Amino acid sequence: MEQQLTVEVIIIGGSYAGLSAALALGRALRRVLVLDSGQPCNRPTPHAHNFLTRDGTAPAELAAQARAQVLAYPTVQLLPETAVAARGSDGDFTLTTDTGRVVRAGKLLFATGVRDQLPARPGFAECWGISVIHCPYCHGYEYHHQPTGTLLNGEAALEHARLLRQWTDQLTIFTDGPATFSPGQWAQLAGAGIEVEETPVRELRHQAGQLTHVALLDGRQVPLAALYLRPGMEQHCLLPRDLGCAYTEAGYLQVDGMQKTSVPGIYAAGDATMPMRAVSMAVAGGTMVGAALNAELLLSW
């Protein structure tokens, strides 16, 4: 039998942005349902950083404490279900979950994050978030002064190498094929003592996710402690598209300064809306959108 539930706000995605919004709304006495599939983007990462007072805490521990604190507010519910269909308009949205539950709400918040598109080569998935990393501000300190690589080419590689030199002078650019540097860029790299390896990468050798070597197509192995990667991404949830929400050229949900999407009554926050992927940024966005949602709900009074 179809299960029905009515709340004021449905939050799709129960990681840091979604839970932060739920906390703000729960403290405003709003009836909120959080739907969470349990697949946060940072789940492989052993420690979260740059989050004041919780630097170095395991993401799973942060999430467990966040859920406990949010669910202490009696108007907030969390269900381990996935939203599979959505329809309606501002003031009257209906979502259906993978269990057949039907939920109605006046407002929607998508805090669904993104899915990384990793190279389909051995070792990348196993090392992702541990020693194959995306952000020096999040992970660079743990690998400072150690042999480090970046998998990029051309101008982007040069700019990234300039940044990474802040953390290590043992840096190799893996272009994964012929380099596309200009003569002037080659000179800059040589002057900075940055190695360039053009031979394609075959696989990553590691021990339980900790990188030891980059294995090249010609059989050579380059010792390495960490490799920076900028993978492509795709939205974790396509329901905003089905509801008509606009996206940026880079593929993120388009939002304004108050986290509103292009569709009235629908908001978005967290990694689905921006490339700055950090727990602190997601929490801040969630707090902002929680206040914005409450303010908009007041207009119907």
Side-chain angles (χ1 to χ4, degrees), residues 151-194:
L151 191 64
L152 281 171
N153 205 344
E155 181 66 31
L158 188 70
E159 292 179 1
H160 203 217
R162 186 177 295 117
L163 172 64
L164 297 180
R165 285 273 293 170
Q166 175 110 7
W167 284 268
T168 183
D169 60 0
Q170 303 176 62
L171 184 60
T172 301
I173 295 174
F174 294 88
T175 58
D176 209 26
T180 58
F181 301 119
S182 68
Q185 290 171 334
W186 276 111
Q188 290 181 54
L189 292 167
I194 297 172

Side-chain angles (χ1 to χ4, degrees), residues 212-287:
T212 59
H213 296 83
V214 173
L216 303 176
L217 205 57
D218 62 7
R220 289 181 296 125
Q221 296 191 53
V222 181
L224 216 62
L227 177 68
Y228 285 90
L229 178 69
R230 291 180 177 176
M233 69 83 188
E234 60 184 2
Q235 289 286 332
H236 205 268
C237 176
L238 297 180
L239 293 182
R241 181 200 63 187
D242 297 341
L243 290 164
C245 294
Y247 292 79
T248 68
E249 290 185 5
Y252 296 99
L253 274 165
Q254 183 177 300
V255 294
D256 66 11
M258 299 304 290
Q259 306 296 137
K260 292 183 181 181
T261 71
S262 61
V263 176
I266 302 180
Y267 288 71
D271 291 352
T273 67
M274 61 181 181
M276 293 290 291
R277 294 165 59 176
V279 173
S280 57
M281 299 289 287
V283 169
T287 300

Side-chain angles (χ1 to χ4, degrees), residues 5-49:
L5 178 65
T6 300
V7 294
E8 292 175 285
V9 179
I10 302 172
I11 299 175
I12 304 96
S15 192
Y16 308 104
L19 290 175
S20 179
L23 181 62
L25 289 164
R27 290 183 57 79
L29 307 178
R30 294 295 184 183
R31 289 176 291 112
V32 178
L33 174 66
V34 181
L35 298 174
D36 184 46
S37 63
Q39 297 294 310
C41 188
N42 69 346
R43 61 189 182 278
T45 304
H47 304 100
H49 293 286

